[in-house]
Amino acid sequence: MIDVKENQERVVLVGVALQNTENFDMSMQELASLAKTAGANVLESFSQKREKVDSKTFIGSGKLEELKAIIDSQEVDTVIVNNRLTARQNTNLEAELGIKVIDRMQLILDIFAMRARSHEGKLQVHLAQLKYMLPRLVGQGVMLSRQAGGIGSRGPGESQLELNRRSIRNQITDIEKQIALVEKNRQTLRNKRVDSDTFKIGLIGYTNAGKSTIMNVLTDKSQYEADELFATLDATTKQIYLQNQFQATLTDTVGFIQDLPTELVAAFKSTLEESRHVDLLLHVIDASDPNHLEHEKVVLDILKELDMLDIPRLSIYNKMDLSPNLKATAFPNVRISAKSKDSAALLRRLIIDCIRDIYQPFSVKVSQDKIYKLYDLNKVALLDTYTFDQEIEEVSGYIASKNKWRLEELYD
């Protein structure tokens, strides 16, 4: 039988803990998970405490020699650095170590490239990669120069570096134009959803918290789910029925992560904005992860950046079967194991309770000849009770203020 690990890229992880670095251990554990998600076989993990990183080689000379010894003895293919490297540091490290060196940002970009499925997602990843690559062409000018002596080549000419830069800038411009068209179409669809009477729910959370699993639980439809980081990249919206004919849409978006590359934040802005115009956010938290409190903070920080903290939010502590004694810190909340039999009913009930808090209560009397209109009202309002009194039916429930005009159609 072939050992799968034999065909995997053999990597060593390196990180520098600065005095002002928080959650360093969590970050290194996450780097290992990212590397495994990318298909790597993680051999070793090195860390070093420093006041500041080395401007030339990122790590100190002693740690560099230690790293060289490991590379030689374990046939390492790649070194992955947990921080963002400058072009100079990247070049110097590769020259010193004699193997490929990438940083955390390149690794995340690579995973996003693996996971993107939609045309827009692929465009966004490609754009982020090009923007990351552009400043890192510096230092390659001598090696790539096409200048030569002799007739016809006098004067400054144009170096290969400048050609590459110009090519990348042209590609960036072209992709940005394509994304602008896609975003225009997305905005049109988004505006229709915003203007519609349908209640909108958005799924958010740290990567691998179980958002796609929650999506599947609530919709009874297949959404790719796996125990890996960034299993879902492209925004997916599905329709769900919560009570009788009451309809809602549920949108699953890319998972959040600390130190998300700025290039990706910009490139995926339109994707993340799918959750900006919802009526309720479901914040999925992996209760089994020992770093869940830090993950919650990362998500809330990003929501603050996106100006989304004012959107009503229900926290879902998922995977409670693996952490039954966890104490919730976010409210309101529900603690479930998404794959248990009663989780769907419990979730629906709590979502309905949240909608009641968001909507406005009403009570209206409906004559028998207008009872048929209750079917359409059921789609946009949560109807609670029907009472009959001499052929007049009194209906109560909850409805969005923008839809109150529908009640006027029922007045006798």
Side-chain angles (χ1 to χ4, degrees), residues 42 50 60 67 70 73 99 107 118 133 135-136 158 160 178 230 233 265 279 301 304 312 318 333 343 347 367 393:
V42 179
R50 293 176 63 95
L67 191 54
I70 291 295
S73 64
I99 62 172
L107 178 61
S118 71
M133 187 191 307
R136 281 160 177 75
E158 184 176 28
Q160 186 64 43
Q178 293 184 59
F230 300 119
L233 278 191
V265 172
D279 302 297
D301 286 345
K304 184 177 180 180
N318 189 27
N333 68 70
S343 62
L347 265 179
S367 61
E393 186 170 10

Side-chain angles (χ1 to χ4, degrees), residues 1-13:
M1 183 176 179
I2 299 175
D3 185 355
V4 175
K5 287 191 175 183
E6 289 298 320
N7 299 319
Q8 292 178 312
E9 202 165 332
R10 298 163 65 84
V11 307
V12 170
L13 310 180

Side-chain angles (χ1 to χ4, degrees), residues 268-279:
F268 275 80
K269 185 179 178 182
S270 62
T271 304
L272 294 174
E273 282 186 343
E274 283 296 301
S275 295
R276 284 179 66 96
H277 306 284
V278 299
D279 302 297

Side-chain angles (χ1 to χ4, degrees), residues 143-202:
M143 179 182 67
L144 296 176
S145 177
R146 71 170 190 178
Q147 294 180 38
I151 299 172
S153 60
R154 295 185 179 93
E158 184 176 28
S159 68
Q160 186 64 43
L161 172 60
E162 285 304 319
L163 281 175
N164 288 346
R165 280 176 170 168
R166 188 149 55 87
S167 174
I168 289 179
R169 289 192 186 104
N170 289 340
Q171 289 183 65
I172 288 174
T173 300
D174 180 59
I175 291 175
E176 285 178 337
K177 288 179 180 177
Q178 293 184 59
I179 289 178
L181 289 174
V182 175
E183 285 183 347
K184 186 177 180 181
N185 293 333
R186 179 189 287 275
Q187 184 63 46
T188 300
L189 293 173
R190 188 187 294 131
N191 289 341
K192 288 182 179 178
R193 285 202 296 270
V194 170
D195 294 337
S196 74
D197 298 333
T198 305
F199 190 85
K200 292 165 286 295
I201 304 170

Side-chain angles (χ1 to χ4, degrees), residues 37 108 111-118 121 124-125 203-216 222-238 250-257 260 268 271-272:
T37 297
I108 293 176
I111 294 172
F112 271 54
M114 290 169 52
R115 293 280 182 262
R117 293 289 180 269
S118 71
Q124 289 169 329
V125 171
L203 278 168
I204 59 166
Y206 209 80
T207 181
N208 202 33
K211 296 186 300 301
S212 296
T213 303
I214 298 295
M215 167 78 91
N216 290 338
S222 178
Q223 170 82 343
Y224 180 73
E225 56 182 84
D227 185 16
E228 54 191 24
L229 304 185
F230 300 119
T232 301
L233 278 191
D234 300 306
T236 304
T237 300
K238 296 180 180 178
L250 183 62
T251 299
D252 184 14
T253 58
V254 61
F256 298 161
I257 193 170
L260 186 67
F268 275 80
T271 304
L272 294 174

